[in-house]
Amino acid sequence: MLRTTIAGSLPKPGWLAKPAMLWAPWSLSGDALAEAKRDAVRLALRTQEAAGIDIVTDGEQSRQHFVHGFLERIEGVDFSRRVTIGIRADRYKAEVPTVVAPLRRSAPIHGDEVRFARAQTTRPLKFTIPGPMTIVDTLADAYYGDRRRLALEFARVINEEARELAALGLDVLQLDEPAFNVYMDDVAAWGIEALHRAIEGVSCRTAVHICYGYGIKANVDWKATLGDQWRQYEKTFPLLAASRLDQVSLECANSRVPLDLLGLLRGKDVLVGAVDVATDVVETPDQVAATIRRALAFVPPERLYPCTNCGMVPLAREVADGKLRALAAGAALVRRELGVA
């Protein structure tokens, strides 16, 4: 009960990539880079275990970016044809590759990473990959000409990968869909359909992460325009409650999300973001516990998983480490209050 986990990413060590930076270039290459990635995964797992996190991830240490790390191995996506586009409804600009031909996964993408991480820990293991809508929003399309069609093609590719990853001993597969808070009409029109296609026949538990984004300036500025209450979830939660996904991960710490909206997720595991990734201030266990207690008014304890708001890759390592410890300690406080060991 109240088992802790994280949204996915952790800061990369300085010897692997430039710290506190999204899309940071690798500091090494070739065999040295491969070895450094494995060392970073070991470190990420040990850090989570030492902090007391119950369901761990590889920290996304082997990926430069959570979307492009998946796309790099897919035929039909041309990284030599990079263009700058506005993503998340022009919230910020990004340099992205272009779809130029039919999509095809010619070989496993993350199988080696899951296999390695699985061998390094006995704790339940979660692995994250980008969801179809967010992928479509994070590249240029010069071939399909239709966002729904492109998303469903990516869902097919994701599904091929997801089935293999689950068979390697994965406990939770999470699809990251920050775009779900931006294109709510598309979520209803084809977003859930694409997620269902992506998880069809997947043997492990499945989750979707739909927060308000990393704690970078563009996201912080956008959130400042959303008013006193962030009610985007009001449109998506009923759709997700009726979906075939097992878990929903969202932002609650220091947010303006009305927590009564969590009641719309009845029947789902809810990964409650109890750690704010948009600040370098490390929460106290009491602050984490307070967020969990508020959420418990709307989510039964057996369904509530204390989590981070979003990925922590832009943070300093010492800050992220402190937040992990606070997350675990805060959850432990509430478990004791509930009489659960």
Side-chain angles (χ1 to χ4, degrees):
M1 187 179 292
L2 299 184
R3 290 185 295 167
T4 53
T5 188
I6 67 171
S9 70
L10 289 171
K12 292 181 174 65
W15 39 262
L16 179 61
K18 185 175 180 179
M21 178 182 177
L22 286 179
W23 308 49
W26 300 119
S27 301
L28 302 160
S29 61
D31 291 343
L33 175 59
E35 181 179 8
K37 288 179 178 180
R38 290 191 293 270
D39 288 343
V41 170
R42 289 190 187 96
L43 179 59
L45 291 168
R46 295 293 89 78
T47 298
Q48 291 168 82
E49 290 172 347
I53 301 301
D54 299 302
I55 302 166
V56 297
T57 83
D58 71 341
E60 300 181 7
Q61 298 296 296
S62 297
R63 286 171 271 178
Q64 193 176 38
H65 183 265
F66 82 104
V67 175
H68 292 179
F70 181 76
L71 297 180
E72 287 167 353
R73 302 280 294 278
I74 296 177
E75 294 182 12
V77 179
D78 188 349
F79 274 80
S80 70
R81 287 185 56 178
R82 291 178 179 267
V83 297
T84 299
I85 64 171
I87 65 175
R88 311 298 183 264
D90 286 329
R91 192 188 315 164
Y92 51 91
K93 302 294 183 182
E95 187 181 78
V96 301
T98 303
V99 177
V100 298
L103 301 175
R104 179 171 175 266
R105 190 192 71 121
S106 58
I109 299 171
H110 293 306
D112 286 345
E113 294 162 40
V114 169
R115 190 178 292 107
F116 180 79
R118 179 70 284 167
Q120 303 302 312
T121 184
T122 59
R123 298 198 181 186
L125 179 66
K126 178 167 76 172
F127 195 81
T128 62
I129 57 179
M133 181 180 290
T134 296
I135 291 177
V136 167
D137 197 49
T138 318
L139 45 64
D141 177 22
Y143 184 80
Y144 287 93
D146 180 87
R147 285 170 69 89
R148 176 183 177 276
R149 182 183 174 201
L150 181 58
L152 293 177
E153 282 298 294
F154 270 116
R156 172 184 56 79
V157 172
I158 290 169
N159 184 252
E160 294 173 5
E161 178 78 5
R163 290 175 182 239
E164 292 181 5
L165 297 183
L168 294 173
L170 202 58
D171 295 281
V172 182
L173 177 75
Q174 177 177 291
L175 299 177
D176 292 331
E177 285 285 24
F180 267 41
N181 271 357
V182 184
Y183 308 106
M184 276 78 75
D185 290 343
D186 287 343
V187 173
W190 50 264
I192 300 295
E193 177 189 5
L195 286 181
H196 282 167
R197 181 171 294 191
I199 65 170
E200 184 178 354
V202 174
S203 58
C204 67
R205 296 185 70 74
T206 57
V208 62
H209 174 65
I210 55 167
C211 75
Y212 287 79
Y214 289 122
I216 59 175
K217 185 178 186 301
N219 290 336
V220 172
D221 290 347
W222 171 63
K223 286 187 277 190
T225 71
L226 298 179
D228 293 336
Q229 289 194 340
W230 302 347
R231 304 198 70 90
Q232 284 78 7
Y233 291 144
E234 196 165 24
K235 293 185 177 181
T236 54
F237 280 179
L239 299 172
L240 289 168
S243 76
R244 296 197 292 271
L245 291 137
D246 300 306
Q247 303 182 335
V248 180
S249 169
L250 64 139
E251 177 171 345
C252 292
N254 290 339
S255 78
R256 296 174 186 169
V257 175
L259 289 189
D260 64 299
L261 296 182
L262 300 183
L264 297 174
L265 290 171
R266 187 178 305 276
K268 299 298 181 186
D269 293 342
V270 183
L271 280 58
V272 170
V275 165
D276 186 2
V277 301
T279 175
D280 287 338
V281 176
V282 175
E283 290 83 354
T284 67
D286 284 337
Q287 289 171 326
V288 171
T291 300
I292 296 170
R293 292 187 198 104
R294 290 194 295 271
L296 281 171
F298 309 101
V299 182
E302 65 273 13
R303 289 282 193 181
L304 197 154
Y305 292 71
C307 188
T308 57
N309 276 358
C310 189
M312 295 201 286
V313 65
L315 296 177
R317 284 176 61 193
E318 62 272 17
V319 171
D321 291 355
K323 287 176 178 287
L324 291 177
R325 292 192 295 270
L327 178 62
L333 284 175
V334 182
R335 279 196 296 267
R336 286 196 292 272
E337 294 169 3
L338 295 174
V340 178

